[in-house]
């Protein structure tokens, strides 16, 4: 085994926690039962055993993909949307994956050099790509598909390869181009939730989740009872009701950054001034909801804030009135 492959294996194994090591390398035929050994000692021992066994680059890619599947929040993902995917790829994930992979490898191989590992896990198709173009420093990136949807999440890919990979995807799935969805973050579950349910987030999520009462007459009676009770609530309780009426009672997707953009003149004759308001945190949408509930946002709530969960984007451009 060459030194580069040995260093690469050491880098990948070092990502795993000590207690994860046995499961991670179960298929490599190496011994990890070393009582009292530190993680560093354990990794060195496994690497030396793999050197003797002659581990392949494909097996290293599988290890790296296994880590990402177990720790998807460890990298930052960016969303893309494919246009008009062929109906041949709109079936079950296990059927679609086999056809897609053969075509994808064929088309991508004409555009760049790479090693690939893939796995179908929980109806999601995960790919690990190790880009090895001559004269460039090799690196690893990841691709996550959710057949049969047109959305793709990509992590760690450099610009010079993005066009190649998206072109190979478009050809493989026989679609008519692609676009940057302008949505990114470290939580792929939240990104896919925002993309797939763009128009049923916030207070509308109760309809998607079948939480609304099917009897409309009973719903009217409940609303009248709520309105009567609401007149007797304390101010803070009223604000909590406003927050729930605006954003719903279900958990909101964990979006980590959001930007409001506005370009407008301060006066009628003045030149436009570009303004940006950037929000960041573990869960921006839930944070806004809590700000409403705690009376930090004045009423009536701006439509720009009300519709934040429905943009499926990290950025919204505000239009001046």
């Amino acid at each position: 085994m060459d030194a580069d492959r040995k260093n690469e294996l050491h880098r990948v194994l070092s990502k795993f926690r000590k207690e994860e090591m046995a499961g991670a390398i179960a298929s490599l035929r190496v011994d990890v039962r070393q009582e009292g050994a530190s993680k560093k000692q354990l990794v060195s021992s496994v690497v030396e055993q793999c050197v003797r066994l002659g581990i392949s680059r494909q097996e290293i890619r599988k290890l790296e993909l296994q880590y990402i599947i177990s720790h998807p929040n460890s990298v930052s993902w960016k969303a893309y949307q494919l246009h008009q995917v062929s109906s041949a790829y709109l079936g079950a994930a296990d059927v679609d994956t086999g056809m897609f992979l053969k075509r994808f490898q064929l088309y991508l191989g004409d555009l760049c050099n790479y090693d690939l590992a893939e796995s179908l896990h929980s109806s999601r198709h995960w790919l690990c790509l190790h880009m090895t173009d001559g004269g460039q420093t090799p690196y690893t990136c990841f691709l996550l598909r959710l057949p049969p949807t047109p959305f793709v999440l990509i992590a760690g890919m450099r610009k010079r390869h993005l066009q190649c990979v998206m072109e190979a995807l478009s050809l493989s799935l026989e679609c008519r181009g692609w676009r940057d969805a302008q949505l990114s973050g470290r939580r792929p579950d939240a990104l896919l939730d925002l993309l797939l349910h763009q128009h049923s987030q916030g207070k509308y999520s109760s309809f998607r989740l079948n939480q609304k009462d099917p009897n409309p007459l009973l719903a009217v009676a409940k609303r009248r009872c709520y309105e009567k009770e609401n007149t007797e609530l304390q101010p803070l309780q009223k604000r909590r009701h406003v927050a729930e009426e605006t954003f719903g009672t279900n958990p909101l997707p964990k979006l980590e950054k959001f930007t409001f953009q506005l370009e407008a003149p301060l006066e009628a004759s003045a030149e436009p001034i570009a303004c940006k308001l950037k929000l960041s945190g573990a869960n921006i949408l839930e944070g806004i909801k809590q700000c409403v509930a705690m009376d930090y946002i004045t009423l009536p709530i701006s439509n720009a804030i009300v519709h934040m969960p429905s943009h499926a984007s990290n950025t919204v451009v505000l239009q001046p009135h």
Side-chain angles (χ1 to χ4, degrees), residues 84-284:
Q84 299 182 16
V85 178
S86 170
S87 58
Y89 297 93
L90 296 179
D94 55 344
V95 176
D96 156 84
T97 298
M99 290 193 300
F100 158 77
L101 192 61
K102 291 179 181 178
R103 293 168 61 89
F104 180 70
Q105 289 179 291
L106 177 65
Y107 288 122
L108 187 59
D110 290 337
L111 299 171
C112 57
N113 298 321
Y114 69 94
D115 298 325
L116 179 146
E118 58 91 26
S119 176
L120 186 63
H121 184 77
S122 300
S123 298
R124 297 180 179 184
H125 194 197
W126 300 78
L127 282 80
C128 173
L129 295 168
H130 188 68
M131 314 307 283
T132 58
D133 286 359
Q136 302 290 339
T137 303
Y139 73 99
T140 303
C141 51
F142 305 93
L143 189 149
L144 171 57
R145 296 177 58 237
L146 185 62
T149 75
F151 301 111
V152 177
L153 301 184
I154 293 179
M157 188 171 294
R158 297 174 185 170
K159 289 183 179 180
R160 68 173 183 272
H161 289 126
L162 178 62
Q163 186 68 37
C164 298
V165 170
M166 294 307 298
E167 182 177 343
L169 277 172
S170 299
L171 291 170
S172 302
L173 297 172
E174 300 176 19
C175 45
R176 298 184 179 180
W178 56 278
R179 74 174 184 91
D180 185 338
Q182 301 297 316
L183 180 65
S184 62
R186 286 186 171 270
R187 300 178 181 274
D189 287 339
L191 300 183
L192 291 172
D193 188 0
L194 288 164
L195 292 166
L196 295 173
H197 308 297
Q198 179 177 355
H199 302 296
S200 57
Q201 294 290 349
K203 64 180 180 181
Y204 302 109
S205 63
S206 57
F207 293 96
R208 170 166 49 91
L209 300 173
N210 295 320
Q211 296 171 336
K212 284 294 185 182
D213 199 310
N215 187 336
L217 296 178
L218 184 59
V220 171
K222 286 183 176 180
R223 184 170 65 251
R224 288 174 178 169
C225 180
Y226 162 76
E227 290 172 351
K228 181 179 179 180
E229 293 176 353
N230 197 34
T231 60
E232 303 173 358
L233 292 175
Q234 297 298 320
L236 192 55
Q237 290 177 298
K238 288 184 179 180
R239 292 296 302 223
R240 289 172 182 166
H241 281 294
V242 171
E244 291 179 353
E245 286 292 311
T246 304
F247 297 102
T249 57
N250 294 307
L252 293 164
K254 294 182 177 180
L255 191 63
E256 298 156 304
K257 56 183 180 180
F258 197 89
T259 300
F260 292 102
Q261 291 185 358
L262 173 66
E263 185 170 319
L266 294 179
E267 299 177 359
S269 60
E271 290 292 325
I273 296 178
C275 304
K276 287 185 179 181
L277 173 61
K278 295 184 178 182
L279 308 176
S280 62
N283 190 339
I284 294 297

